[in-house]
Amino acid sequence: MRRLALVLLGPMLLTSCATIATGRFEEIHVSSSPSAADATLVCAGHPSGEGKTPATFKIRRNAGDCTLTVRKEGFEERTMALEQGVNPAYWGNMIFSPVPPAAAYATAISDSGKAAGVGLVAAGLAIFGVDFWTGAVHAHKPGTVDLVLKPK
């Protein structure tokens, strides 16, 4: 049983991949042609940043769906949606977490293993839940925006 615990320890350190690999915040990069346009980012109905292009906005990964508006005197205003989706780093949990197979193994080997299996299932839920709790399970698409403004 100790060997099993040691074998599981290394890969378990790689779980909660999105939180470890990408963090709770992300950067949205915005550029425009012509540059020096006013850019405003609104996420879930709340102002999340404004600046002149090229601009970088730092937002929480779980900020909700966002709307980016870029405007400049003498040019047509451009608005685009940035949708909150699943962070690709989250799928690393499926690859690196040994908890589900270990739980299945522990449950199948004996009656005494059933308790260990239940404990491992609970640990697995906690491991996978970290990315949801921190918000790191999310990422906005697109993360880089380059807009061409048309003259009026």
Side-chain angles (χ1 to χ4, degrees), residues 26 28 59-61 63-64 66 82-84 139-143:
E26 67 183 312
I28 306 295
I59 61 171
R60 293 187 64 84
R61 290 185 173 279
C66 301
L82 297 139
E83 295 181 354
Q84 178 180 288
H140 289 82
K141 304 287 187 260

Side-chain angles (χ1 to χ4, degrees), residues 3-26:
R3 284 188 183 167
L4 177 61
L6 290 174
V7 168
L8 295 178
L9 184 60
M12 286 179 78
L13 295 174
L14 298 173
T15 58
S16 303
C17 286
T19 302
I20 293 168
T22 62
R24 298 177 305 157
F25 294 89
E26 67 183 312

Side-chain angles (χ1 to χ4, degrees), residues 28-41 51-55 57 67-72 75-82 142-151:
I28 306 295
H29 304 281
V30 180
S31 61
S32 67
S33 179
S35 60
D38 295 315
T40 305
L41 186 65
K52 298 262 187 206
T53 61
F57 300 105
T67 303
L68 173 68
T69 304
V70 178
R71 63 179 70 84
K72 185 168 179 139
F75 294 86
E76 292 180 13
E77 180 177 292
R78 295 279 309 266
T79 300
M80 73 176 298
L82 297 139
T144 300
V145 177
D146 187 17
L147 296 173
V148 176
L149 303 177
K150 296 179 183 176

